[in-house]
Amino acid sequence: CPSSAGLSPVSPSPLHSEFIRSNKMVYESTGKFQLVEGDVDNFDKMMEAVGVSAEKRQKGRTLKPIIEFSHDGDKYKVTGSAEGIPERTKEFVLDVEQEETTIDGRKVKSTYKREAKGLMIQHEVQENGMVVVYHREIKGDQMHVKVTCGDLVANRLYKKM
């Protein structure tokens, strides 16, 4: 995973800024989705690279998390749950960097952006400087998630519940 050092902030386009100001547009990813399949091996390699312990990675290989997205105006909420893991909720505003604590206790800085209809991108800067990017795209009743970290790519498929 590359470091975030040397990256310059990206200014939102006028169209993107208009979306942020508008309460008329609804983020198309609102809903509840459960993981049905994914590239476990590459996702595991990413989690190892960012410092997730072997024990937690092994447990994570068998989880089928449920993720629920909602929003009220420009405030978004993501609630995640999985069997044997307490439910966690993250709240955010688009294009605003915020500190978050991952499910395994690591501190990261995340920025969420809406790139197109049904496409949300999250940039997550790890404590060690590595960057993980989540591309979440809604296609019908499925959410396609492409997770990248350097040259590693893991695809994950969620189905709407």
Side-chain angles (χ1 to χ4, degrees), residues 4-27:
S4 64
L7 294 178
S8 58
V10 177
S11 298
S13 70
L15 181 60
H16 186 85
S17 296
E18 180 59 31
F19 166 77
I20 292 170
R21 288 188 299 270
S22 172
N23 287 328
K24 295 177 185 174
M25 294 182 73
V26 174
Y27 176 54

Side-chain angles (χ1 to χ4, degrees), residues 1-4 49-52 99-102 104-110 124-132:
C1 301
S3 168
S4 64
V50 299
V52 177
E99 187 171 293
E100 298 178 342
T101 302
T102 64
D104 64 313
R106 293 173 297 110
K107 299 284 186 199
V108 298
K109 291 187 179 177
S110 287
E124 187 181 85
V125 180
Q126 311 296 309
E127 290 176 309
N128 63 7
M130 294 180 173
V131 179
V132 179

Side-chain angles (χ1 to χ4, degrees), residues 78-114:
V78 179
T79 302
S81 61
E83 187 176 327
I85 295 177
E87 182 176 281
R88 296 177 50 90
T89 298
K90 297 189 283 188
E91 295 182 358
F92 62 92
V93 175
L94 296 176
D95 296 313
V96 176
E97 183 180 76
Q98 67 184 35
E99 187 171 293
E100 298 178 342
T101 302
T102 64
I103 199 161
D104 64 313
R106 293 173 297 110
K107 299 284 186 199
V108 298
K109 291 187 179 177
S110 287
T111 306
Y112 296 82
K113 297 182 180 294
R114 183 179 184 277

